[in-house]
mmCIF file of all heavy atoms in Angstrom:
data_model
loop_
_atom_site.group_PDB
_atom_site.id
_atom_site.type_symbol
_atom_site.label_atom_id
_atom_site.label_comp_id
_atom_site.label_asym_id
_atom_site.label_seq_id
_atom_site.Cartn_x
_atom_site.Cartn_y
_atom_site.Cartn_z
ATOM 1 N N GLY A 719 -9.445 -14.618 -9.230
ATOM 2 C CA GLY A 719 -9.826 -13.999 -7.962
ATOM 3 C C GLY A 719 -9.092 -14.572 -6.769
ATOM 4 O O GLY A 719 -9.644 -14.661 -5.665
ATOM 5 N N GLU A 720 -7.821 -14.924 -6.966
ATOM 6 C CA GLU A 720 -7.039 -15.534 -5.886
ATOM 7 C C GLU A 720 -6.912 -14.624 -4.670
ATOM 8 O O GLU A 720 -6.909 -15.089 -3.523
ATOM 9 C CB GLU A 720 -5.653 -15.925 -6.412
ATOM 10 C CG GLU A 720 -5.625 -17.185 -7.255
ATOM 11 C CD GLU A 720 -6.151 -16.994 -8.676
ATOM 12 O OE1 GLU A 720 -6.542 -15.858 -9.039
ATOM 13 O OE2 GLU A 720 -6.166 -17.969 -9.437
ATOM 14 N N ILE A 721 -6.762 -13.336 -4.898
ATOM 15 C CA ILE A 721 -6.672 -12.388 -3.775
ATOM 16 C C ILE A 721 -7.714 -11.293 -4.025
ATOM 17 O O ILE A 721 -7.436 -10.096 -4.029
ATOM 18 C CB ILE A 721 -5.250 -11.798 -3.638
ATOM 19 C CG1 ILE A 721 -4.182 -12.884 -3.791
ATOM 20 C CG2 ILE A 721 -5.071 -11.148 -2.261
ATOM 21 C CD1 ILE A 721 -2.761 -12.390 -3.627
ATOM 22 N N LEU A 722 -8.927 -11.738 -4.236
ATOM 23 C CA LEU A 722 -10.039 -10.894 -4.668
ATOM 24 C C LEU A 722 -10.221 -9.651 -3.797
ATOM 25 O O LEU A 722 -10.294 -9.756 -2.569
ATOM 26 C CB LEU A 722 -11.318 -11.725 -4.647
ATOM 27 C CG LEU A 722 -12.612 -11.044 -5.090
ATOM 28 C CD1 LEU A 722 -12.565 -10.744 -6.585
ATOM 29 C CD2 LEU A 722 -13.811 -11.923 -4.752
ATOM 30 N N ASP A 723 -10.258 -8.484 -4.457
ATOM 31 C CA ASP A 723 -10.580 -7.201 -3.813
ATOM 32 C C ASP A 723 -9.561 -6.752 -2.765
ATOM 33 O O ASP A 723 -9.836 -5.821 -2.004
ATOM 34 C CB ASP A 723 -11.978 -7.234 -3.163
ATOM 35 C CG ASP A 723 -13.080 -7.441 -4.184
ATOM 36 O OD1 ASP A 723 -12.975 -6.900 -5.290
ATOM 37 O OD2 ASP A 723 -14.055 -8.159 -3.868
ATOM 38 N N TYR A 724 -8.404 -7.362 -2.717
ATOM 39 C CA TYR A 724 -7.395 -6.964 -1.732
ATOM 40 C C TYR A 724 -6.994 -5.507 -1.943
ATOM 41 O O TYR A 724 -6.808 -4.757 -0.988
ATOM 42 C CB TYR A 724 -6.170 -7.874 -1.855
ATOM 43 C CG TYR A 724 -5.107 -7.622 -0.800
ATOM 44 C CD1 TYR A 724 -5.062 -8.388 0.356
ATOM 45 C CD2 TYR A 724 -4.143 -6.624 -0.958
ATOM 46 C CE1 TYR A 724 -4.096 -8.167 1.332
ATOM 47 C CE2 TYR A 724 -3.175 -6.390 0.009
ATOM 48 C CZ TYR A 724 -3.158 -7.166 1.149
ATOM 49 O OH TYR A 724 -2.200 -6.929 2.116
ATOM 50 N N ALA A 725 -6.858 -5.117 -3.202
ATOM 51 C CA ALA A 725 -6.406 -3.756 -3.517
ATOM 52 C C ALA A 725 -7.575 -2.867 -3.939
ATOM 53 O O ALA A 725 -7.437 -2.009 -4.811
ATOM 54 C CB ALA A 725 -5.350 -3.799 -4.617
ATOM 55 N N ASN A 726 -8.732 -3.069 -3.324
ATOM 56 C CA ASN A 726 -9.918 -2.302 -3.708
ATOM 57 C C ASN A 726 -9.696 -0.800 -3.564
ATOM 58 O O ASN A 726 -8.969 -0.342 -2.675
ATOM 59 C CB ASN A 726 -11.129 -2.766 -2.900
ATOM 60 C CG ASN A 726 -10.989 -2.512 -1.404
ATOM 61 O OD1 ASN A 726 -11.092 -1.384 -0.926
ATOM 62 N ND2 ASN A 726 -10.746 -3.586 -0.640
ATOM 63 N N LYS A 727 -10.301 -0.046 -4.469
ATOM 64 C CA LYS A 727 -10.226 1.416 -4.464
ATOM 65 C C LYS A 727 -11.621 1.984 -4.691
ATOM 66 O O LYS A 727 -12.382 1.466 -5.508
ATOM 67 C CB LYS A 727 -9.312 1.928 -5.588
ATOM 68 C CG LYS A 727 -7.912 1.332 -5.632
ATOM 69 C CD LYS A 727 -7.042 1.847 -4.518
ATOM 70 C CE LYS A 727 -5.591 1.429 -4.703
ATOM 71 N NZ LYS A 727 -5.396 -0.045 -4.682
ATOM 72 N N GLU A 728 -11.933 3.074 -4.029
ATOM 73 C CA GLU A 728 -13.178 3.788 -4.303
ATOM 74 C C GLU A 728 -12.849 4.924 -5.262
ATOM 75 O O GLU A 728 -12.520 6.039 -4.850
ATOM 76 C CB GLU A 728 -13.803 4.265 -2.998
ATOM 77 C CG GLU A 728 -14.349 3.089 -2.184
ATOM 78 C CD GLU A 728 -14.793 3.466 -0.789
ATOM 79 O OE1 GLU A 728 -15.387 4.555 -0.626
ATOM 80 O OE2 GLU A 728 -14.546 2.679 0.158
ATOM 81 N N TRP A 729 -12.928 4.618 -6.546
ATOM 82 C CA TRP A 729 -12.603 5.559 -7.612
ATOM 83 C C TRP A 729 -13.779 5.677 -8.565
ATOM 84 O O TRP A 729 -14.495 4.693 -8.811
ATOM 85 C CB TRP A 729 -11.383 5.068 -8.401
ATOM 86 C CG TRP A 729 -10.073 5.200 -7.699
ATOM 87 C CD1 TRP A 729 -9.798 5.921 -6.575
ATOM 88 C CD2 TRP A 729 -8.826 4.586 -8.077
ATOM 89 N NE1 TRP A 729 -8.467 5.793 -6.230
ATOM 90 C CE2 TRP A 729 -7.853 4.986 -7.133
ATOM 91 C CE3 TRP A 729 -8.444 3.746 -9.125
ATOM 92 C CZ2 TRP A 729 -6.520 4.579 -7.204
ATOM 93 C CZ3 TRP A 729 -7.122 3.332 -9.206
ATOM 94 C CH2 TRP A 729 -6.170 3.746 -8.259
ATOM 95 N N GLY A 730 -13.945 6.879 -9.104
ATOM 96 C CA GLY A 730 -14.960 7.083 -10.123
ATOM 97 C C GLY A 730 -14.697 6.184 -11.310
ATOM 98 O O GLY A 730 -13.587 6.135 -11.831
ATOM 99 N N GLY A 731 -15.708 5.498 -11.764
ATOM 100 C CA GLY A 731 -15.558 4.528 -12.846
ATOM 101 C C GLY A 731 -15.530 3.118 -12.305
ATOM 102 O O GLY A 731 -16.269 2.240 -12.759
ATOM 103 N N LEU A 732 -14.709 2.875 -11.311
ATOM 104 C CA LEU A 732 -14.641 1.563 -10.675
ATOM 105 C C LEU A 732 -15.918 1.306 -9.876
ATOM 106 O O LEU A 732 -16.451 0.189 -9.872
ATOM 107 C CB LEU A 732 -13.410 1.490 -9.766
ATOM 108 C CG LEU A 732 -12.972 0.106 -9.258
ATOM 109 C CD1 LEU A 732 -12.628 -0.825 -10.412
ATOM 110 C CD2 LEU A 732 -11.789 0.242 -8.306
ATOM 111 N N VAL A 733 -16.423 2.328 -9.213
ATOM 112 C CA VAL A 733 -17.673 2.192 -8.462
ATOM 113 C C VAL A 733 -18.824 1.862 -9.407
ATOM 114 O O VAL A 733 -19.635 0.966 -9.145
ATOM 115 C CB VAL A 733 -17.957 3.490 -7.671
ATOM 116 C CG1 VAL A 733 -19.394 3.506 -7.150
ATOM 117 C CG2 VAL A 733 -16.981 3.624 -6.508
ATOM 118 N N GLU A 734 -18.886 2.563 -10.521
ATOM 119 C CA GLU A 734 -20.001 2.407 -11.454
ATOM 120 C C GLU A 734 -19.972 1.076 -12.198
ATOM 121 O O GLU A 734 -21.001 0.391 -12.309
ATOM 122 C CB GLU A 734 -19.970 3.552 -12.469
ATOM 123 C CG GLU A 734 -21.041 3.466 -13.547
ATOM 124 C CD GLU A 734 -20.917 4.583 -14.567
ATOM 125 O OE1 GLU A 734 -19.790 5.070 -14.793
ATOM 126 O OE2 GLU A 734 -21.957 4.962 -15.134
ATOM 127 N N ASP A 735 -18.815 0.696 -12.703
ATOM 128 C CA ASP A 735 -18.740 -0.452 -13.611
ATOM 129 C C ASP A 735 -18.281 -1.746 -12.956
ATOM 130 O O ASP A 735 -18.273 -2.787 -13.619
ATOM 131 C CB ASP A 735 -17.799 -0.131 -14.783
ATOM 132 C CG ASP A 735 -18.507 0.623 -15.881
ATOM 133 O OD1 ASP A 735 -19.709 0.918 -15.718
ATOM 134 O OD2 ASP A 735 -17.869 0.938 -16.899
ATOM 135 N N TYR A 736 -17.928 -1.690 -11.689
ATOM 136 C CA TYR A 736 -17.472 -2.917 -11.017
ATOM 137 C C TYR A 736 -18.283 -3.183 -9.752
ATOM 138 O O TYR A 736 -19.068 -4.117 -9.685
ATOM 139 C CB TYR A 736 -15.980 -2.817 -10.721
ATOM 140 C CG TYR A 736 -15.384 -4.067 -10.118
ATOM 141 C CD1 TYR A 736 -15.227 -5.219 -10.885
ATOM 142 C CD2 TYR A 736 -14.975 -4.111 -8.785
ATOM 143 C CE1 TYR A 736 -14.678 -6.389 -10.343
ATOM 144 C CE2 TYR A 736 -14.430 -5.268 -8.239
ATOM 145 C CZ TYR A 736 -14.278 -6.396 -9.019
ATOM 146 O OH TYR A 736 -13.739 -7.542 -8.479
ATOM 147 N N TYR A 737 -18.140 -2.325 -8.749
ATOM 148 C CA TYR A 737 -18.826 -2.566 -7.484
ATOM 149 C C TYR A 737 -20.347 -2.515 -7.636
ATOM 150 O O TYR A 737 -21.062 -3.392 -7.130
ATOM 151 C CB TYR A 737 -18.358 -1.568 -6.428
ATOM 152 C CG TYR A 737 -16.874 -1.611 -6.166
ATOM 153 C CD1 TYR A 737 -16.096 -0.460 -6.248
ATOM 154 C CD2 TYR A 737 -16.237 -2.812 -5.857
ATOM 155 C CE1 TYR A 737 -14.729 -0.498 -6.017
ATOM 156 C CE2 TYR A 737 -14.873 -2.862 -5.626
ATOM 157 C CZ TYR A 737 -14.122 -1.696 -5.712
ATOM 158 O OH TYR A 737 -12.774 -1.741 -5.493
ATOM 159 N N ALA A 738 -20.858 -1.499 -8.314
ATOM 160 C CA ALA A 738 -22.312 -1.372 -8.469
ATOM 161 C C ALA A 738 -22.892 -2.540 -9.264
ATOM 162 O O ALA A 738 -23.994 -3.017 -8.963
ATOM 163 C CB ALA A 738 -22.663 -0.053 -9.142
ATOM 164 N N GLN A 739 -22.161 -3.016 -10.269
ATOM 165 C CA GLN A 739 -22.666 -4.124 -11.089
ATOM 166 C C GLN A 739 -22.759 -5.413 -10.273
ATOM 167 O O GLN A 739 -23.685 -6.213 -10.449
ATOM 168 C CB GLN A 739 -21.750 -4.332 -12.305
ATOM 169 C CG GLN A 739 -21.689 -3.147 -13.253
ATOM 170 C CD GLN A 739 -23.063 -2.689 -13.701
ATOM 171 O OE1 GLN A 739 -23.892 -3.491 -14.117
ATOM 172 N NE2 GLN A 739 -23.299 -1.385 -13.612
ATOM 173 N N ARG A 740 -21.819 -5.621 -9.374
ATOM 174 C CA ARG A 740 -21.879 -6.817 -8.532
ATOM 175 C C ARG A 740 -23.093 -6.756 -7.603
ATOM 176 O O ARG A 740 -23.803 -7.747 -7.404
ATOM 177 C CB ARG A 740 -20.592 -6.961 -7.719
ATOM 178 C CG ARG A 740 -19.361 -7.195 -8.559
ATOM 179 C CD ARG A 740 -18.203 -7.759 -7.759
ATOM 180 N NE ARG A 740 -17.769 -6.914 -6.658
ATOM 181 C CZ ARG A 740 -16.640 -7.111 -5.982
ATOM 182 N NH1 ARG A 740 -15.843 -8.118 -6.307
ATOM 183 N NH2 ARG A 740 -16.285 -6.322 -4.985
ATOM 184 N N TRP A 741 -23.300 -5.576 -7.014
ATOM 185 C CA TRP A 741 -24.422 -5.449 -6.092
ATOM 186 C C TRP A 741 -25.757 -5.524 -6.815
ATOM 187 O O TRP A 741 -26.743 -6.040 -6.273
ATOM 188 C CB TRP A 741 -24.290 -4.146 -5.294
ATOM 189 C CG TRP A 741 -23.397 -4.358 -4.109
ATOM 190 C CD1 TRP A 741 -22.083 -4.060 -4.012
ATOM 191 C CD2 TRP A 741 -23.766 -4.976 -2.883
ATOM 192 N NE1 TRP A 741 -21.596 -4.454 -2.783
ATOM 193 C CE2 TRP A 741 -22.612 -5.010 -2.070
ATOM 194 C CE3 TRP A 741 -24.950 -5.504 -2.384
ATOM 195 C CZ2 TRP A 741 -22.608 -5.552 -0.788
ATOM 196 C CZ3 TRP A 741 -24.960 -6.047 -1.102
ATOM 197 C CH2 TRP A 741 -23.786 -6.069 -0.320
ATOM 198 N N SER A 742 -25.810 -5.019 -8.023
ATOM 199 C CA SER A 742 -27.037 -5.119 -8.813
ATOM 200 C C SER A 742 -27.386 -6.587 -9.065
ATOM 201 O O SER A 742 -28.544 -7.006 -8.931
ATOM 202 C CB SER A 742 -26.859 -4.378 -10.145
ATOM 203 O OG SER A 742 -28.019 -4.493 -10.937
ATOM 204 N N LEU A 743 -26.378 -7.384 -9.414
ATOM 205 C CA LEU A 743 -26.608 -8.812 -9.649
ATOM 206 C C LEU A 743 -27.027 -9.504 -8.359
ATOM 207 O O LEU A 743 -27.899 -10.395 -8.372
ATOM 208 C CB LEU A 743 -25.333 -9.451 -10.204
ATOM 209 C CG LEU A 743 -25.411 -10.955 -10.497
ATOM 210 C CD1 LEU A 743 -26.471 -11.253 -11.546
ATOM 211 C CD2 LEU A 743 -24.049 -11.488 -10.945
ATOM 212 N N PHE A 744 -26.426 -9.108 -7.230
ATOM 213 C CA PHE A 744 -26.757 -9.719 -5.943
ATOM 214 C C PHE A 744 -28.227 -9.482 -5.594
ATOM 215 O O PHE A 744 -28.967 -10.421 -5.267
ATOM 216 C CB PHE A 744 -25.847 -9.149 -4.859
ATOM 217 C CG PHE A 744 -26.029 -9.743 -3.491
ATOM 218 C CD1 PHE A 744 -25.729 -11.073 -3.237
ATOM 219 C CD2 PHE A 744 -26.490 -8.966 -2.433
ATOM 220 C CE1 PHE A 744 -25.885 -11.631 -1.973
ATOM 221 C CE2 PHE A 744 -26.644 -9.504 -1.164
ATOM 222 C CZ PHE A 744 -26.344 -10.835 -0.932
ATOM 223 N N VAL A 745 -28.658 -8.227 -5.675
ATOM 224 C CA VAL A 745 -30.048 -7.902 -5.333
ATOM 225 C C VAL A 745 -31.003 -8.574 -6.317
ATOM 226 O O VAL A 745 -32.043 -9.126 -5.922
ATOM 227 C CB VAL A 745 -30.257 -6.375 -5.311
ATOM 228 C CG1 VAL A 745 -31.735 -6.037 -5.126
ATOM 229 C CG2 VAL A 745 -29.433 -5.743 -4.190
ATOM 230 N N GLN A 746 -30.661 -8.550 -7.594
ATOM 231 C CA GLN A 746 -31.487 -9.204 -8.609
ATOM 232 C C GLN A 746 -31.628 -10.697 -8.308
ATOM 233 O O GLN A 746 -32.723 -11.266 -8.413
ATOM 234 C CB GLN A 746 -30.861 -9.008 -9.985
ATOM 235 C CG GLN A 746 -31.578 -9.716 -11.119
ATOM 236 C CD GLN A 746 -30.789 -9.622 -12.421
ATOM 237 O OE1 GLN A 746 -30.036 -8.687 -12.647
ATOM 238 N NE2 GLN A 746 -30.958 -10.623 -13.278
ATOM 239 N N THR A 747 -30.538 -11.328 -7.899
ATOM 240 C CA THR A 747 -30.563 -12.755 -7.574
ATOM 241 C C THR A 747 -31.445 -13.025 -6.361
ATOM 242 O O THR A 747 -32.217 -14.000 -6.334
ATOM 243 C CB THR A 747 -29.131 -13.269 -7.312
ATOM 244 O OG1 THR A 747 -28.319 -13.008 -8.454
ATOM 245 C CG2 THR A 747 -29.126 -14.765 -7.021
ATOM 246 N N LEU A 748 -31.370 -12.156 -5.342
ATOM 247 C CA LEU A 748 -32.203 -12.329 -4.154
ATOM 248 C C LEU A 748 -33.683 -12.176 -4.485
ATOM 249 O O LEU A 748 -34.526 -12.928 -3.970
ATOM 250 C CB LEU A 748 -31.797 -11.324 -3.075
ATOM 251 C CG LEU A 748 -30.374 -11.437 -2.525
ATOM 252 C CD1 LEU A 748 -30.152 -10.412 -1.421
ATOM 253 C CD2 LEU A 748 -30.093 -12.845 -2.004
ATOM 254 N N VAL A 749 -33.993 -11.215 -5.329
ATOM 255 C CA VAL A 749 -35.388 -11.016 -5.740
ATOM 256 C C VAL A 749 -35.903 -12.261 -6.464
ATOM 257 O O VAL A 749 -37.025 -12.736 -6.209
ATOM 258 C CB VAL A 749 -35.520 -9.767 -6.636
ATOM 259 C CG1 VAL A 749 -36.903 -9.698 -7.276
ATOM 260 C CG2 VAL A 749 -35.254 -8.506 -5.828
ATOM 261 N N GLU A 750 -35.083 -12.802 -7.355
ATOM 262 C CA GLU A 750 -35.479 -14.009 -8.082
ATOM 263 C C GLU A 750 -35.666 -15.191 -7.133
ATOM 264 O O GLU A 750 -36.575 -16.011 -7.320
ATOM 265 C CB GLU A 750 -34.435 -14.344 -9.145
ATOM 266 C CG GLU A 750 -34.393 -13.338 -10.300
ATOM 267 C CD GLU A 750 -33.230 -13.573 -11.245
ATOM 268 O OE1 GLU A 750 -32.398 -14.473 -10.945
ATOM 269 O OE2 GLU A 750 -33.128 -12.860 -12.251
ATOM 270 N N CYS A 751 -34.835 -15.270 -6.112
ATOM 271 C CA CYS A 751 -34.970 -16.354 -5.134
ATOM 272 C C CYS A 751 -36.293 -16.237 -4.367
ATOM 273 O O CYS A 751 -36.993 -17.246 -4.157
ATOM 274 C CB CYS A 751 -33.803 -16.347 -4.159
ATOM 275 S SG CYS A 751 -32.248 -16.931 -4.869
ATOM 276 N N LEU A 752 -36.645 -15.028 -3.950
ATOM 277 C CA LEU A 752 -37.909 -14.849 -3.237
ATOM 278 C C LEU A 752 -39.092 -15.143 -4.149
ATOM 279 O O LEU A 752 -40.090 -15.752 -3.722
ATOM 280 C CB LEU A 752 -38.009 -13.429 -2.676
ATOM 281 C CG LEU A 752 -37.167 -13.094 -1.440
ATOM 282 C CD1 LEU A 752 -37.535 -11.715 -0.907
ATOM 283 C CD2 LEU A 752 -37.335 -14.134 -0.344
ATOM 284 N N ASN A 753 -39.006 -14.725 -5.380
ATOM 285 C CA ASN A 753 -40.105 -14.964 -6.319
ATOM 286 C C ASN A 753 -40.305 -16.449 -6.591
ATOM 287 O O ASN A 753 -41.433 -16.925 -6.742
ATOM 288 C CB ASN A 753 -39.848 -14.240 -7.638
ATOM 289 C CG ASN A 753 -40.263 -12.773 -7.586
ATOM 290 O OD1 ASN A 753 -41.180 -12.416 -6.837
ATOM 291 N ND2 ASN A 753 -39.606 -11.934 -8.357
ATOM 292 N N SER A 754 -39.186 -17.186 -6.671
ATOM 293 C CA SER A 754 -39.265 -18.596 -7.028
ATOM 294 C C SER A 754 -39.373 -19.520 -5.820
ATOM 295 O O SER A 754 -39.701 -20.704 -5.966
ATOM 296 C CB SER A 754 -38.033 -18.996 -7.842
ATOM 297 O OG SER A 754 -36.857 -18.887 -7.038
ATOM 298 N N GLY A 755 -39.076 -18.981 -4.631
ATOM 299 C CA GLY A 755 -39.069 -19.812 -3.435
ATOM 300 C C GLY A 755 -37.833 -20.661 -3.294
ATOM 301 O O GLY A 755 -37.751 -21.526 -2.413
ATOM 302 N N LEU A 756 -36.823 -20.414 -4.154
ATOM 303 C CA LEU A 756 -35.590 -21.184 -4.107
ATOM 304 C C LEU A 756 -34.583 -20.520 -3.169
ATOM 305 O O LEU A 756 -34.574 -19.294 -3.024
ATOM 306 C CB LEU A 756 -34.987 -21.307 -5.505
ATOM 307 C CG LEU A 756 -35.821 -22.096 -6.526
ATOM 308 C CD1 LEU A 756 -35.182 -22.001 -7.910
ATOM 309 C CD2 LEU A 756 -35.962 -23.557 -6.090
ATOM 310 N N PRO A 757 -33.704 -21.304 -2.522
ATOM 311 C CA PRO A 757 -32.698 -20.713 -1.629
ATOM 312 C C PRO A 757 -31.600 -20.010 -2.420
ATOM 313 O O PRO A 757 -31.347 -20.337 -3.587
ATOM 314 C CB PRO A 757 -32.139 -21.921 -0.875
ATOM 315 C CG PRO A 757 -32.327 -23.058 -1.827
ATOM 316 C CD PRO A 757 -33.614 -22.785 -2.558
ATOM 317 N N PHE A 758 -30.970 -19.054 -1.768
ATOM 318 C CA PHE A 758 -29.819 -18.378 -2.366
ATOM 319 C C PHE A 758 -28.611 -19.297 -2.229
ATOM 320 O O PHE A 758 -28.308 -19.804 -1.143
ATOM 321 C CB PHE A 758 -29.542 -17.056 -1.657
ATOM 322 C CG PHE A 758 -28.263 -16.383 -2.094
ATOM 323 C CD1 PHE A 758 -28.186 -15.735 -3.306
ATOM 324 C CD2 PHE A 758 -27.128 -16.424 -1.286
ATOM 325 C CE1 PHE A 758 -27.008 -15.116 -3.721
ATOM 326 C CE2 PHE A 758 -25.944 -15.807 -1.681
ATOM 327 C CZ PHE A 758 -25.895 -15.158 -2.894
ATOM 328 N N LYS A 759 -27.905 -19.527 -3.330
ATOM 329 C CA LYS A 759 -26.724 -20.384 -3.324
ATOM 330 C C LYS A 759 -25.492 -19.545 -3.649
ATOM 331 O O LYS A 759 -25.356 -19.049 -4.772
ATOM 332 C CB LYS A 759 -26.885 -21.523 -4.325
ATOM 333 C CG LYS A 759 -28.006 -22.488 -3.957
ATOM 334 C CD LYS A 759 -28.079 -23.660 -4.915
ATOM 335 C CE LYS A 759 -29.167 -24.649 -4.487
ATOM 336 N NZ LYS A 759 -29.260 -25.799 -5.432
ATOM 337 N N GLN A 760 -24.624 -19.391 -2.665
ATOM 338 C CA GLN A 760 -23.455 -18.528 -2.811
ATOM 339 C C GLN A 760 -22.535 -19.011 -3.925
ATOM 340 O O GLN A 760 -21.999 -18.208 -4.696
ATOM 341 C CB GLN A 760 -22.683 -18.440 -1.499
ATOM 342 C CG GLN A 760 -21.537 -17.442 -1.515
ATOM 343 C CD GLN A 760 -22.013 -15.993 -1.581
ATOM 344 O OE1 GLN A 760 -22.887 -15.577 -0.816
ATOM 345 N NE2 GLN A 760 -21.446 -15.208 -2.489
ATOM 346 N N ASP A 761 -22.341 -20.322 -4.034
ATOM 347 C CA ASP A 761 -21.431 -20.840 -5.061
ATOM 348 C C ASP A 761 -21.915 -20.490 -6.457
ATOM 349 O O ASP A 761 -21.120 -20.099 -7.332
ATOM 350 C CB ASP A 761 -21.278 -22.354 -4.922
ATOM 351 C CG ASP A 761 -20.469 -22.752 -3.692
ATOM 352 O OD1 ASP A 761 -19.788 -21.870 -3.137
ATOM 353 O OD2 ASP A 761 -20.526 -23.935 -3.308
ATOM 354 N N ALA A 762 -23.203 -20.633 -6.689
ATOM 355 C CA ALA A 762 -23.758 -20.299 -8.005
ATOM 356 C C ALA A 762 -23.642 -18.803 -8.267
ATOM 357 O O ALA A 762 -23.320 -18.373 -9.388
ATOM 358 C CB ALA A 762 -25.214 -20.742 -8.084
#
Side-chain angles (χ1 to χ4, degrees):
E720 283 76 1
I721 316 182
L722 181 68
D723 297 323
Y724 185 96
N726 64 74
K727 307 287 189 298
E728 290 171 39
W729 286 346
L732 194 60
V733 167
E734 177 183 29
D735 276 2
Y736 184 71
Y737 301 126
Q739 297 307 311
R740 295 198 301 192
W741 276 98
S742 178
L743 180 61
F744 183 65
V745 173
Q746 176 188 332
T747 303
L748 297 183
V749 169
E750 291 172 355
C751 287
L752 285 188
N753 277 331
S754 65
L756 295 173
F758 172 75
K759 295 184 177 179
Q760 186 69 49
D761 289 344

